């Protein structure tokens, strides 16, 4: 297989490294763990990316989730252009923010009231502060391999880029910042029960990805979410679903709709901005009443509810609902999963495919992958070779075994079949 010409990307990378750590503005894009340099994107269109050398790729990064409608959806762009003509940022409330909030409340079972912010990190850190303010308790539980952004207290045994780079516990985070962070393995209710028994009346909340995307896709085992709901209710702690990735992705109402478990607080991001910077946290009205200016939990942001971001979000959510996009994504996801499973069988490569809706991961280890330690160093190494082989065949995957691949509404059966054929070749060449 001839390697692609990436001369311009290489030059761009050398220029970037001079001014930015790793040449990237997020380590998740660095490609270090897959033994490659990142390629630099010139444009995205539908399901495709074009790099600065003119190479085209079927895109399964989708911006790490936001681009559920594909790149350059006309209705999203039109809504943004209309708003741009009226102004970019006012520092006053706008009606559109309420219109986006209404759409979120109408779709997400656990959200009665919410606050818009500008990233998933802001959403999760604010949800945690709200839970602590509401309960008066300091400690909280996070689960190993879940990634909730880069706020200090949450950078403990974190997934995504943190575990990819071997820094699940980041340098620069002080012992004081994580003194109240408790951790347990994912899919292990007994470990959570033990933490509550050892910290009676002290745990404000448990925060988790109800479907993990940041270990690669790891679904909750039957009874797991129900168990967490029962435990937190009994203990007077809040259940926080971090749906920054799964929100409006695995169903219109997110994982909480798909699995029928209603959390007390929900964090959102990615899809609700349609590709523009956004986040949100929300939940029970009584809990959100503690948020300033109504209550004593302070949280603020210059760009919170930015009119252009909100316009992109509203347009995206309206298209998702009107065109019943999740039905198409489910069908494409099933086709993709079946194709990858067949390719593993035909090539005799040991691996497992895990999928929820249009989030999917091929793990280079015998399944099931139930928790972080099930992802072995050997799997990481084989994935790195697979990643490079797929990129050389015009398929762009997230550059880590610990990430979810995303399908967009711009993908079709032909794109999926083309990707499966590339995977079959790449697996055979491993
Ligand atoms: P941001 O601050 O990156 O908007 O959101 C943080 C976050 C919170 N919660 C979940 C479940 C998330 O997946 C994320 C961010 N996801 C990563 C990809 N796994 C973003 C990519 C990156 O860090 O560049």
């Amino acid at each position: 297989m001839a390697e692609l010409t990436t001369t311009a990307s290489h030059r761009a990378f050398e220029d970037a490294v001079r001014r930015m750590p790793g040449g990237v503005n997020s380590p998740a894009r660095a490609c270090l763990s897959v033994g490659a340099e990142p390629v630099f994107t010139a444009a995205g269109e539908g399901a495709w990316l074009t790099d600065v050398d003119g190479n085209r790729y079927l895109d399964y990064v989708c911006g790490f989730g936001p681009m559920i409608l594909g790149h350059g959806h006309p209705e999203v762009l039109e809504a943004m252009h209309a708003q741009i003509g009226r102004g970019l940022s006012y520092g006053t409330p706008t009606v559109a923010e309420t219109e986006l909030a209404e759409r979120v409340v109408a779709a997400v079972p656990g959200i009665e009231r919410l606050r818009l912010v500008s990233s998933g990190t802001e959403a999760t850190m604010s949800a945690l502060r709200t839970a602590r303010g509401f309960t008066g308790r300091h400690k909280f539980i996070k689960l190993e391999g879940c990634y909730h952004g880069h706020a200090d207290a949450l950078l403990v045994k974190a997934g995504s880029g943190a575990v990819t780079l071997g820094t699940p516990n980041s340098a620069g985070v002080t012992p004081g910042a994580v003194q109240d962070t408790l951790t347990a393995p994912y899919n292990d209710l007994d470990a959570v029960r033990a933490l509550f028994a050892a910290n009676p009346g002290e745990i404000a909340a448990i925060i988790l990805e109800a479907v993990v995307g940041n270990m690669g896709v790891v679904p909750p085992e039957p009874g797991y979410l129900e168990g967490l709901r029962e435990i937190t209710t009994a203990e007077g702690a809040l259940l926080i679903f971090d749906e920054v990735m799964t929100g409006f992705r695995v169903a219109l109402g997110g994982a909480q709709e798909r699995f029928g478990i209603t959390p007390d607080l929900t964090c959102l991001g990615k899809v609700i901005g349609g590709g523009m910077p956004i986040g949100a946290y929300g939940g029970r009205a009584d809990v959100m009443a503690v948020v300033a200016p109504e209550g004593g939990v302070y949280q603020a942001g210059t760009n919170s509810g930015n009119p252009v971001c909100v316009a992109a979000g509203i347009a995206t959510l309206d298209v998702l609902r009107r065109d019943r996009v999740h039905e198409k994504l489910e069908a494409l996801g099933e086709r993709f999963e079946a194709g990858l499973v067949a390719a593993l069988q035909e090539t005799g490569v040991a691996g497992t495919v895990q999928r929820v809706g249009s989030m999917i991961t091929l793990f280079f280890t015998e399944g099931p992958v139930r928790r972080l330690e099930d992802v072995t160093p050997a799997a990481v190494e084989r994935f790195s070779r697979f990643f490079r082989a797929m990129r050389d065949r015009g398929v762009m995957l997230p550059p880590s075994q610990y990430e979810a691949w995303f399908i967009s509404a711009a993908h079709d059966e032909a794109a999926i079949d083309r990707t499966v054929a590339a995977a079959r070749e790449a697996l055979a060449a491993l």
Side-chain angles (χ1 to χ4, degrees):
M1 182 70 214
E3 288 215 355
L4 301 177
T5 302
T6 55
T7 314
S9 261
H10 178 66
R11 257 200 320 273
F13 183 61
E14 289 182 324
D15 293 344
V17 168
R18 271 196 291 276
R19 299 290 176 246
M20 296 173 283
V24 294
N25 285 303
S26 185
R29 310 171 194 163
C31 295
L32 292 175
S33 76
V34 292
E37 282 187 1
V39 295
F40 282 62
T41 298
E45 183 183 0
W48 295 87
L49 293 178
T50 302
D51 70 15
V52 293
D53 288 282
N55 302 307
R56 299 187 73 229
Y57 309 87
L58 272 172
D59 178 26
Y60 293 91
V61 184
C62 294
F64 282 102
M67 306 318 293
I68 195 167
L69 298 180
H71 298 287
H73 192 284
E75 293 178 65
V76 176
L77 298 186
E78 183 185 335
M80 290 174 65
H81 288 314
Q83 176 54 48
I84 288 167
R86 297 194 294 268
L88 305 182
S89 181
Y90 308 126
T92 72
T94 61
V95 171
E97 291 160 72
T98 308
E99 289 169 352
L100 178 57
E102 291 292 357
R103 284 161 170 82
V104 170
V105 168
V108 183
I111 298 184
E112 295 177 309
R113 302 180 83 208
L114 61 88
R115 167 66 57 82
L116 295 173
V117 294
S118 299
S119 69
T121 294
E122 271 194 279
T124 58
M125 64 186 269
S126 305
L128 180 56
R129 187 182 307 141
T130 298
R132 286 168 158 168
F134 180 77
T135 62
R137 300 177 181 178
H138 298 173
K139 294 179 180 176
F140 76 98
I141 298 171
K142 81 168 290 289
L143 303 170
E144 294 161 18
C146 287
Y147 177 73
H148 304 293
H150 62 88
D152 279 1
L154 289 160
L155 271 182
V156 177
K157 297 181 184 176
S160 183
V163 70
T164 299
L165 296 177
T167 58
N169 305 301
S170 171
V173 173
T174 61
V178 297
Q179 67 185 18
D180 294 317
T181 305
L182 307 173
T183 61
Y186 197 77
N187 276 324
D188 184 339
L189 283 175
D190 289 342
V192 169
R193 289 192 185 96
L195 287 174
F196 274 100
N199 301 274
E202 296 184 72
I203 296 175
I206 180 167
I207 184 170
L208 70 145
E209 297 178 65
V211 172
V212 187
N214 289 296
M215 290 185 236
V217 175
V218 174
E221 292 192 322
Y224 183 60
L225 299 179
E226 292 80 353
L228 293 179
R229 180 66 282 177
E230 287 164 18
I231 293 167
T232 48
T233 301
E235 296 283 350
L238 298 187
L239 180 60
I240 305 175
F241 278 5
D242 174 357
E243 296 224 45
V244 167
M245 187 183 287
T246 56
F248 292 92
R249 166 62 66 179
V250 298
L252 196 66
Q256 58 196 269
E257 174 192 287
R258 192 173 179 117
F259 289 93
I261 300 293
T262 302
D264 302 299
L265 286 173
T266 299
C267 307
L268 296 171
K270 297 181 190 279
V271 168
I272 67 166
M276 294 298 286
I278 203 163
Y281 65 103
R284 286 169 30 195
D286 61 327
V287 176
M288 291 303 289
V290 306
V291 176
E294 291 178 13
V297 174
Y298 192 73
Q299 176 271 312
T302 301
N303 298 308
S304 296
N306 172 276
V308 182
C309 300
V310 166
I314 289 171
T316 298
L317 301 194
D318 285 354
V319 171
L320 285 176
R321 183 182 287 276
R322 183 196 69 206
D323 296 355
R324 305 170 70 86
V325 167
H326 292 93
E327 293 172 10
K328 173 182 181 180
L329 293 177
E330 196 65 43
L332 290 176
E334 285 170 11
R335 189 180 188 97
F336 200 8
E337 179 179 1
L340 291 174
V341 167
L344 285 169
Q345 288 166 347
E346 289 156 17
T347 56
V349 172
T352 190
V353 180
Q354 298 190 172
R355 176 183 71 87
V356 177
S358 57
M359 291 170 53
I360 187 169
T361 298
L362 191 165
F363 289 99
F364 284 90
T365 181
E366 296 290 352
V369 174
R370 304 172 59 250
R371 57 187 56 165
L372 185 59
E373 60 261 23
D374 291 344
V375 183
T376 63
V380 171
E381 193 282 327
R382 273 197 294 274
F383 176 82
S384 69
R385 287 188 277 128
F386 179 73
F387 170 87
R388 298 195 299 271
M390 289 294 272
R391 195 168 77 173
D392 287 344
R393 287 169 173 78
V395 176
M396 184 68 75
L397 301 176
S400 168
Q401 173 74 104
Y402 299 102
E403 294 287 0
W405 314 353
F406 299 100
I407 304 166
S408 83
H411 288 76
D412 57 17
E413 290 186 353
I416 297 296
D417 295 348
R418 177 181 179 137
T419 306
V420 169
R424 190 177 291 109
E425 285 182 17
L427 290 169
L430 276 187

